[in-house]
Amino acid sequence: MSGRRRGLFAGLIRAGFSAAAVPYAIVVARRNRRFDQGHGVQRCDATVISIGNLTTGGTGKTPIVADLARRFRKHGVRVAIVSRGYGRGDADENDEAAELHQRLPDVPQVQNPDRVEAARIAVEELESQLILMDDGFQHRRLHRDLDIVLIDMTCPFGYGHLLPRGLLREPIASLGRAHVAILTRCDQVAEEDIAAVMETIRLCNRDLLVLRSNHRPSGLLQHPDQRTPVDALGGQRVALISGIGNPAAFRRTVEDVGAEVVAEKVLPDHAQYDRDTIEQLNRWADRLDDVLYLVCTQKDLVKLQTDRIAKRPLLALTIDAEIEPSEAFDAMLKDIAEAAQAV
């Protein structure tokens, strides 16, 4: 997808993916045109904020959603989080919802592929005044009062191509319907990279409020609730376990706090830690030499539910969002909070 691999075979694969992207683009264009005309859009009796992205993979939504929920709770707004529940299977909630519950025990969540029905439940049964729709940019059946798009600076526009040739769910021009863009992981890229992304954004939407953000390590969590300062990783040899959309960004964050990553076990996004997977992890960890800690994400820890693997301590690196101060954004959220409480 990135185009870095050369050769005839790689070229043929990219050509095939490019051909497959054509019908996908037609379907996306028709669908967006229908919603742009107002067909099929339904409202609920609460204010709705969508937090989404243009690409597949991890853009760092969970810390942003948690940050926004805390801001509105400080205003006294009754908040609920609505999401599709991808990868939930037979469980009550998926890994992202479990992590958000750990972060926000006082904020209810409703998971349902039908976001309109989920919103109805949040309003009628949970008496919510404001709904945060997680991963909602493409789920346009539910009307939203504010559309926030996250752009991961480590792979901002999915290699510039629609699925399956690239990682874009829809064209970059779709930023034209967004109200706010938050650039995540800005600390992991150079200023010229940010400037190039800003130029692209302005071509799509000159009025878009664009904010920078970083994902800051806030501590270490060992199951069930033992917390340790992140400084404990400084200078230590560690091995990583991750089943997330952007494992490279996670590794970079661990290295940035001063740890030496000597091994890494990368699993698919939303990986299920069943018995076979746990046994594989035990065998892998048992073979590691001179590793003090195993480090995973908070999303992985809520599924692993253990404090060690192969007798090695397992720690989750907790991450919080740090959005740059913005009077315009603060005023926007204040107005939304007041409108939500007035309904």
Side-chain angles (χ1 to χ4, degrees):
M1 287 185 176
S2 66
R4 288 190 292 266
R5 183 176 297 179
R6 299 299 178 182
L8 178 61
F9 183 67
L12 289 174
I13 292 177
R14 284 193 289 270
F17 283 161
S18 295
V22 173
Y24 177 82
I26 293 172
V27 171
V28 169
R30 288 178 176 173
R31 181 177 181 274
N32 279 336
R33 191 179 308 113
R34 181 168 60 87
F35 283 122
D36 289 341
Q37 295 170 349
H39 300 308
V41 179
Q42 299 184 46
R43 294 177 176 267
C44 70
D45 294 328
T47 301
V48 176
I49 297 177
S50 165
I51 304 99
N53 43 263
L54 287 174
T55 62
T56 62
T59 55
K61 284 195 306 296
T62 301
I64 299 291
V65 172
D67 178 79
L68 290 172
R70 292 191 189 101
R71 293 187 190 216
F72 285 114
R73 292 293 295 124
K74 286 180 181 178
H75 284 289
V77 180
R78 296 192 300 274
V79 180
I81 298 171
V82 163
S83 62
R84 180 183 184 276
Y86 178 80
R88 178 176 54 173
D90 296 328
D92 292 333
E93 58 186 13
N94 69 355
D95 44 17
E96 290 161 349
E99 180 186 345
L100 281 167
H101 179 74
Q102 194 175 62
R103 290 172 179 263
L104 305 163
D106 63 334
V107 176
Q109 298 183 60
V110 182
Q111 292 198 311
N112 191 324
D114 186 341
R115 308 297 178 90
V116 175
E117 175 62 14
R120 184 197 66 76
I121 293 171
V123 173
E124 296 181 6
E125 299 184 18
L126 303 176
E127 299 182 344
S128 302
Q129 297 171 313
L130 185 143
I131 291 170
L132 296 176
M133 181 166 54
D134 188 4
D135 197 17
F137 194 56
Q138 286 77 35
H139 298 274
R140 300 182 63 186
R141 280 185 60 231
L142 180 61
H143 169 82
R144 71 285 318 273
D145 300 276
L146 186 69
D147 243 324
I148 300 176
V149 177
L150 307 188
I151 299 174
D152 179 6
M153 287 304 306
T154 64
C155 185
F157 298 124
Y159 308 121
H161 298 279
L162 290 173
L163 291 165
R165 171 61 183 86
L167 298 177
L168 283 172
R169 295 177 176 181
E170 55 183 308
I172 300 172
S174 295
L175 286 172
R177 69 173 190 270
H179 303 105
V180 179
I182 299 178
L183 311 183
T184 65
R185 302 188 176 105
C186 288
D187 53 329
Q188 296 190 15
V189 300
E191 277 296 324
E192 52 263 34
D193 296 325
I194 297 176
V197 167
M198 287 292 297
E199 184 176 351
T200 300
I201 290 173
R202 292 303 176 210
L203 290 174
C204 299
N205 187 339
R206 302 190 67 85
D207 299 323
L208 189 63
L209 175 62
V210 183
L211 304 173
R212 297 186 184 194
S213 75
N214 299 316
H215 282 41
R216 296 296 190 196
S218 56
L220 299 167
L221 177 63
Q222 188 170 21
H223 181 77
D225 54 11
Q226 181 178 338
R227 295 187 179 273
T228 305
V230 72
D231 295 346
L233 290 184
Q236 303 297 336
R237 289 167 57 88
V238 304
L240 307 185
I241 298 172
S242 63
I244 56 176
N246 193 337
F250 173 58
R251 176 173 181 142
R252 171 72 180 273
T253 302
V254 174
E255 291 174 335
D256 284 347
V257 302
E260 179 186 356
V261 178
V262 299
E264 186 174 9
K265 190 71 170 179
V266 176
L267 300 168
D269 193 13
H270 298 287
Q272 299 302 314
Y273 289 95
D274 54 22
R275 180 179 298 179
D276 289 342
T277 303
I278 296 298
E279 289 178 356
Q280 291 175 19
L281 289 176
N282 274 291
R283 290 193 297 269
W284 169 76
D286 197 44
R287 293 193 299 267
L288 298 174
D289 293 326
D290 195 22
V291 169
L292 184 61
Y293 298 120
L294 302 177
V295 183
C296 66
T297 71
Q298 191 170 354
K299 189 172 83 166
D300 292 301
L301 188 65
V302 295
K303 293 186 290 184
L304 283 163
Q305 295 285 303
T306 184
D307 63 349
R308 60 192 60 241
I309 293 176
K311 299 183 180 179
R312 297 181 188 273
L314 175 68
L315 304 176
L317 183 65
T318 57
I319 305 291
D320 289 334
E322 185 179 85
I323 303 174
E324 69 172 322
S326 167
E327 292 183 3
F329 191 52
D330 290 344
M332 186 183 296
L333 297 185
K334 182 180 178 182
D335 290 344
I336 288 174
E338 291 175 352
Q341 292 172 310
V343 174

